[in-house]
Amino acid sequence: MNHKKTFQIAKNYLIKLGRISLISLNKAFLDENDSSTILLMYYKNIKILLTGDASVKSEKYILDTYDLGHVDILKLGHHGSKTSTGEALLKEIRPSLGLISCGKDNKFNHPHKVTIEKLKKYKVRYLRTDIEGSIKIDLDTLKIN
């Protein structure tokens, strides 16, 4: 018998996994995508923002609530859709690397060309799973495999 236990992560919930710290930044919205878990991850001096399926509405809440400063790696929201990864977020966190998780030839045409243009405008290097396949980053060396 499988006894899976799940729970919803509350705002400002701290998860420690060895040398990794994860802080939940999300707020419950009526929209399922905007209510997805958003995590700020710290590992040594590296900061990573994992935005789930959040849209610019959730991003605005995070920017209004937290002083994020520079983020080294941003996992783009909602597979790089045009409703996520707004200019205000990019301008505030100035990510060095953006990661876009999307399937090859997906029916939604993610990532959206508007999102790619925003990344280029803010000079964010980005990698896409539909092109690269699985993306692995060694956080000790910042080597991308």
Side-chain angles (χ1 to χ4, degrees):
M1 184 182 276
N2 190 354
H3 294 289
K4 291 184 179 179
K5 293 186 178 185
T6 61
F7 64 96
Q8 184 167 354
I9 298 174
K11 178 180 162 186
N12 293 327
Y13 190 83
L14 173 65
I15 301 166
K16 291 195 90 42
L17 303 167
R19 295 184 292 173
I20 296 173
S21 296
L22 297 155
I23 301 168
S24 169
L25 306 180
N26 48 308
K27 170 186 173 181
F29 287 98
L30 294 177
D31 181 80
E32 181 180 37
N33 287 337
D34 282 321
S35 295
S36 67
T37 302
I38 301 169
L39 297 170
L40 184 60
M41 178 178 143
Y42 292 93
Y43 177 77
K44 296 183 178 179
N45 62 341
I46 299 167
K47 196 175 354 175
I48 301 170
L49 183 61
L50 308 166
T51 57
D53 281 342
S55 75
V56 292
K57 178 180 179 179
S58 291
E59 294 171 7
K60 181 179 180 341
Y61 166 77
I62 290 168
L63 293 172
D64 290 346
T65 307
Y66 302 96
D67 181 18
L68 297 177
H70 170 69
V71 169
D72 299 287
I73 301 171
L74 169 66
K75 198 295 281 170
L76 274 69
H78 205 185
H79 315 286
S81 77
K82 65 181 177 182
T83 62
S84 298
T85 315
E87 290 203 37
L89 180 70
L90 293 172
K91 187 176 180 179
E92 176 74 21
I93 67 171
R94 305 169 323 280
S96 302
L97 177 64
L99 302 176
I100 305 170
S101 176
C102 58
K104 188 172 185 164
D105 300 321
N106 65 81
K107 67 181 180 180
F108 301 104
N109 295 314
H110 290 151
H112 197 278
K113 62 183 177 181
V114 169
T115 303
I116 298 299
E117 289 304 316
K118 285 186 275 187
L119 294 173
K120 290 177 180 177
K121 177 180 177 179
Y122 289 94
K123 298 177 174 48
V124 179
R125 177 181 173 215
Y126 61 91
L127 298 171
R128 301 167 42 166
T129 58
D130 62 328
I131 294 172
E132 308 290 332
S134 181
I135 300 168
K136 297 177 186 176
I137 302 172
D138 182 325
L139 295 178
D140 287 313
T141 63
L142 292 181
K143 182 179 177 189
I144 299 170
N145 299 320

PDB file of all heavy atoms in Angstrom, residues 3 27 56 64 77 91 97 104 111 113 125:
ATOM      1  N   HIS A   3       1.496   5.074   0.707  1.00  0.00           N
ATOM      2  CA  HIS A   3       0.984   6.157   1.559  1.00  0.00           C
ATOM      3  C   HIS A   3       1.714   7.450   1.243  1.00  0.00           C
ATOM      4  O   HIS A   3       2.604   7.862   1.984  1.00  0.00           O
ATOM      5  CB  HIS A   3       1.169   5.823   3.045  1.00  0.00           C
ATOM      6  CG  HIS A   3       0.356   4.669   3.491  1.00  0.00           C
ATOM      7  ND1 HIS A   3      -1.006   4.725   3.624  1.00  0.00           N
ATOM      8  CD2 HIS A   3       0.710   3.408   3.826  1.00  0.00           C
ATOM      9  CE1 HIS A   3      -1.456   3.569   4.034  1.00  0.00           C
ATOM     10  NE2 HIS A   3      -0.440   2.737   4.160  1.00  0.00           N
ATOM     11  N   LYS A  27       1.848  32.968  -2.766  1.00  0.00           N
ATOM     12  CA  LYS A  27       0.620  33.384  -2.118  1.00  0.00           C
ATOM     13  C   LYS A  27      -0.504  32.664  -2.860  1.00  0.00           C
ATOM     14  O   LYS A  27      -0.386  32.406  -4.045  1.00  0.00           O
ATOM     15  CB  LYS A  27       0.465  34.897  -2.265  1.00  0.00           C
ATOM     16  CG  LYS A  27      -0.864  35.447  -1.855  1.00  0.00           C
ATOM     17  CD  LYS A  27      -0.956  36.931  -2.188  1.00  0.00           C
ATOM     18  CE  LYS A  27      -2.375  37.397  -1.910  1.00  0.00           C
ATOM     19  NZ  LYS A  27      -2.579  38.788  -2.212  1.00  0.00           N
ATOM     20  N   VAL A  56       2.768  37.111 -14.598  1.00  0.00           N
ATOM     21  CA  VAL A  56       3.263  38.413 -14.144  1.00  0.00           C
ATOM     22  C   VAL A  56       2.493  38.906 -12.917  1.00  0.00           C
ATOM     23  O   VAL A  56       3.021  39.693 -12.131  1.00  0.00           O
ATOM     24  CB  VAL A  56       3.239  39.471 -15.268  1.00  0.00           C
ATOM     25  CG1 VAL A  56       4.261  39.140 -16.342  1.00  0.00           C
ATOM     26  CG2 VAL A  56       1.867  39.622 -15.869  1.00  0.00           C
ATOM     27  N   ASP A  64       6.739  43.192  -5.101  1.00  0.00           N
ATOM     28  CA  ASP A  64       6.209  44.146  -4.123  1.00  0.00           C
ATOM     29  C   ASP A  64       6.452  43.699  -2.682  1.00  0.00           C
ATOM     30  O   ASP A  64       6.472  44.522  -1.767  1.00  0.00           O
ATOM     31  CB  ASP A  64       4.700  44.348  -4.321  1.00  0.00           C
ATOM     32  CG  ASP A  64       4.365  45.103  -5.598  1.00  0.00           C
ATOM     33  OD1 ASP A  64       5.281  45.708  -6.199  1.00  0.00           O
ATOM     34  OD2 ASP A  64       3.182  45.071  -5.995  1.00  0.00           O
ATOM     35  N   GLY A  77       8.901  31.181 -15.698  1.00  0.00           N
ATOM     36  CA  GLY A  77       7.553  30.748 -15.377  1.00  0.00           C
ATOM     37  C   GLY A  77       6.812  30.196 -16.583  1.00  0.00           C
ATOM     38  O   GLY A  77       7.024  30.625 -17.712  1.00  0.00           O
ATOM     39  N   LYS A  91      14.138  43.070 -14.919  1.00  0.00           N
ATOM     40  CA  LYS A  91      14.853  44.301 -14.562  1.00  0.00           C
ATOM     41  C   LYS A  91      15.306  44.271 -13.103  1.00  0.00           C
ATOM     42  O   LYS A  91      16.413  44.707 -12.773  1.00  0.00           O
ATOM     43  CB  LYS A  91      13.938  45.498 -14.810  1.00  0.00           C
ATOM     44  CG  LYS A  91      14.602  46.829 -14.637  1.00  0.00           C
ATOM     45  CD  LYS A  91      13.633  47.944 -15.010  1.00  0.00           C
ATOM     46  CE  LYS A  91      14.281  49.299 -14.855  1.00  0.00           C
ATOM     47  NZ  LYS A  91      13.367  50.378 -15.222  1.00  0.00           N
ATOM     48  N   LEU A  97      21.428  33.639 -15.926  1.00  0.00           N
ATOM     49  CA  LEU A  97      21.026  32.510 -16.753  1.00  0.00           C
ATOM     50  C   LEU A  97      19.541  32.262 -16.570  1.00  0.00           C
ATOM     51  O   LEU A  97      19.042  32.277 -15.441  1.00  0.00           O
ATOM     52  CB  LEU A  97      21.812  31.254 -16.347  1.00  0.00           C
ATOM     53  CG  LEU A  97      21.474  29.944 -17.067  1.00  0.00           C
ATOM     54  CD1 LEU A  97      21.803  30.041 -18.559  1.00  0.00           C
ATOM     55  CD2 LEU A  97      22.219  28.786 -16.426  1.00  0.00           C
ATOM     56  N   LYS A 104       9.564  19.682 -26.787  1.00  0.00           N
ATOM     57  CA  LYS A 104       9.855  19.933 -28.201  1.00  0.00           C
ATOM     58  C   LYS A 104       8.556  19.897 -29.000  1.00  0.00           C
ATOM     59  O   LYS A 104       7.730  19.014 -28.811  1.00  0.00           O
ATOM     60  CB  LYS A 104      10.835  18.881 -28.720  1.00  0.00           C
ATOM     61  CG  LYS A 104      11.334  19.166 -30.101  1.00  0.00           C
ATOM     62  CD  LYS A 104      12.441  18.209 -30.494  1.00  0.00           C
ATOM     63  CE  LYS A 104      12.973  18.624 -31.845  1.00  0.00           C
ATOM     64  NZ  LYS A 104      14.238  18.024 -32.143  1.00  0.00           N
ATOM     65  N   PRO A 111       8.748  28.088 -25.794  1.00  0.00           N
ATOM     66  CA  PRO A 111       8.552  29.422 -25.229  1.00  0.00           C
ATOM     67  C   PRO A 111       8.045  30.398 -26.295  1.00  0.00           C
ATOM     68  O   PRO A 111       8.308  30.230 -27.487  1.00  0.00           O
ATOM     69  CB  PRO A 111       9.944  29.819 -24.751  1.00  0.00           C
ATOM     70  CG  PRO A 111      10.878  29.092 -25.671  1.00  0.00           C
ATOM     71  CD  PRO A 111      10.173  27.793 -26.022  1.00  0.00           C
ATOM     72  N   LYS A 113       7.823  33.779 -28.466  1.00  0.00           N
ATOM     73  CA  LYS A 113       8.867  34.653 -29.027  1.00  0.00           C
ATOM     74  C   LYS A 113       8.986  35.966 -28.264  1.00  0.00           C
ATOM     75  O   LYS A 113      10.072  36.532 -28.156  1.00  0.00           O
ATOM     76  CB  LYS A 113       8.619  34.908 -30.511  1.00  0.00           C
ATOM     77  CG  LYS A 113       7.330  35.623 -30.835  1.00  0.00           C
ATOM     78  CD  LYS A 113       7.124  35.766 -32.338  1.00  0.00           C
ATOM     79  CE  LYS A 113       5.789  36.423 -32.620  1.00  0.00           C
ATOM     80  NZ  LYS A 113       5.535  36.558 -34.035  1.00  0.00           N
ATOM     81  N   ARG A 125      21.382  35.131 -20.773  1.00  0.00           N
ATOM     82  CA  ARG A 125      21.698  33.883 -21.471  1.00  0.00           C
ATOM     83  C   ARG A 125      20.622  32.869 -21.071  1.00  0.00           C
ATOM     84  O   ARG A 125      20.214  32.822 -19.910  1.00  0.00           O
ATOM     85  CB  ARG A 125      23.076  33.388 -21.029  1.00  0.00           C
ATOM     86  CG  ARG A 125      23.462  32.076 -21.645  1.00  0.00           C
ATOM     87  CD  ARG A 125      24.820  31.617 -21.142  1.00  0.00           C
ATOM     88  NE  ARG A 125      25.073  30.278 -21.633  1.00  0.00           N
ATOM     89  CZ  ARG A 125      25.722  29.352 -20.970  1.00  0.00           C
ATOM     90  NH1 ARG A 125      26.234  29.615 -19.782  1.00  0.00           N
ATOM     91  NH2 ARG A 125      25.899  28.147 -21.485  1.00  0.00           N
TER      92      ARG A 125
END
